């Protein structure tokens, strides 16, 4: 069954650009897939606890002893695993914080990068392969080639690597809304038209990806 997993991670609420964009994508996608399932998880409002040594030991050896892992930790990890496995399309709203991803997203990823999901060397597919993944980001500045901060983007390269390592790189798309601070930071006012264009381009790209 076609199923959409929708993840938001911004610590902001209604003014969050990533939340606005993922909501628009989800609305369009669900209109185009009226019989599909849908799951929502808000990592910004309800962050997942970072893994402990005990949790990591259990994640890498789930058939053995729980190694001190609580039933609540076990249930949470099993729920996250079920959500990712059930999804046929995944949309991730991930703002850039300090040139990389929010720690809440890292905590979510750490529950999923386990031996059962890892792509083996030379393998063409794995347990999570074949899903459509759309990563929606918002950046206060620009990290495009030729800009002053070209090369400072530690968000997309990391996500490409880690999602690819668990089979989620087959149909992985990034949609960036850059220069979002131009609308609110006076010193960046001259960049506001570029920020507006980036946001409009992101909306148009997401509309096409929602088909």
């Amino acid at each position: 069954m076609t199923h959409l997993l929708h993840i938001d991670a911004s610590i902001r609420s209604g003014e969050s650009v990533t939340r606005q964009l993922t909501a628009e994508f989800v609305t369009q996608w669900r209109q185009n897939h009226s019989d599909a399932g849908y799951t929502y998880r808000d990592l910004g409002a309800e962050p997942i606890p970072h893994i402990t040594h005990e949790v990591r030991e259990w994640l890498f050896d789930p058939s053995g002893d729980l190694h001190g892992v609580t039933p609540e930790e076990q249930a949470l990890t099993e729920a996250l695993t079920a959500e990712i496995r059930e999804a046929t399309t995944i949309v991730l709203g991930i703002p850039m914080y300090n040139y990389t991803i929010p720690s809440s997203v890292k905590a979510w990823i750490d529950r999923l990068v386990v031996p059962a999901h890892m792509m083996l060397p030379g393998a063409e597919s794995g347990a999570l392969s074949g899903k459509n993944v759309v990563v929606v980001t918002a950046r206060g500045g620009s990290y495009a080639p030729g800009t002053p901060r070209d090369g400072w983007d530690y968000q997309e390269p990391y996500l490409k690597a880690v999602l690819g390592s668990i089979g989620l790189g087959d149909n992985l798309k990034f949609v960036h809304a850059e220069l979002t601070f131009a609308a609110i930071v006076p010193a960046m006012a001259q960049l506001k038209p570029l920020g507006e264009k980036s946001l409009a381009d992101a909306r148009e790209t997401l509309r096409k990806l929602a088909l």
Side-chain angles (χ1 to χ4, degrees):
M1 177 182 177
T2 304
H3 196 103
L4 175 64
L5 173 60
H6 174 190
I7 304 283
D8 276 327
S10 177
I11 57 176
R12 304 170 75 198
S13 54
E15 70 275 15
S16 164
V17 173
T18 55
R19 288 183 183 276
Q20 293 170 19
L21 291 175
T22 61
E24 291 172 15
F25 173 87
V26 167
T27 297
Q28 186 65 54
W29 190 94
R30 297 187 77 184
Q31 288 176 355
N32 294 334
H33 304 83
S34 57
D35 296 328
Y38 173 71
T39 299
Y40 180 65
R41 183 171 289 275
D42 191 336
L43 301 178
E46 298 181 11
I48 293 167
H50 291 279
I51 63 171
T52 62
H53 171 71
E54 290 77 16
V55 171
R56 181 171 174 79
E57 289 290 303
W58 171 67
L59 287 171
F60 277 74
D61 184 21
S63 62
D65 186 85
L66 288 180
H67 304 288
V69 176
T70 66
E72 292 77 14
E73 288 275 12
Q74 183 183 16
L76 171 61
T77 300
E78 290 175 348
L80 296 175
T81 300
E83 289 171 3
I84 202 80
R85 290 190 175 186
E86 183 181 26
T88 54
T89 296
I90 303 165
V91 60
L92 305 172
I94 305 180
M96 176 181 277
Y97 291 162
N98 298 321
Y99 315 115
T100 187
I101 64 173
S103 63
S104 59
V105 178
K106 181 63 163 60
W108 176 74
I109 288 171
D110 286 343
R111 304 271 177 164
L112 302 174
V113 180
V114 296
H117 294 158
M118 294 295 292
M119 292 287 291
L120 298 175
E124 295 184 0
S125 64
L128 302 182
S129 296
K131 302 177 187 296
N132 295 313
V133 183
V134 179
V135 178
V136 181
T137 81
R139 291 112 173 263
S142 177
Y143 301 84
T147 62
R149 290 184 175 174
D150 178 8
W152 289 35
D153 176 6
Y154 298 98
Q155 183 186 49
E156 180 175 334
Y158 169 73
L159 289 170
K160 277 184 176 178
V162 74
L163 295 177
S165 75
I166 56 173
L168 296 178
D170 298 344
N171 303 296
L172 175 61
K173 301 288 190 303
F174 284 85
V175 181
H176 302 301
E178 294 200 318
L179 295 167
T180 60
F181 282 176
I184 58 176
V185 177
M188 297 177 64
Q190 74 277 15
L191 299 174
K192 188 175 179 180
L194 292 176
E196 292 173 345
K197 182 179 186 306
S198 180
L199 183 59
D201 289 346
R203 286 196 161 105
E204 177 62 17
T205 300
L206 288 171
R207 185 187 65 79
K208 293 175 180 177
L209 290 175
L211 295 175

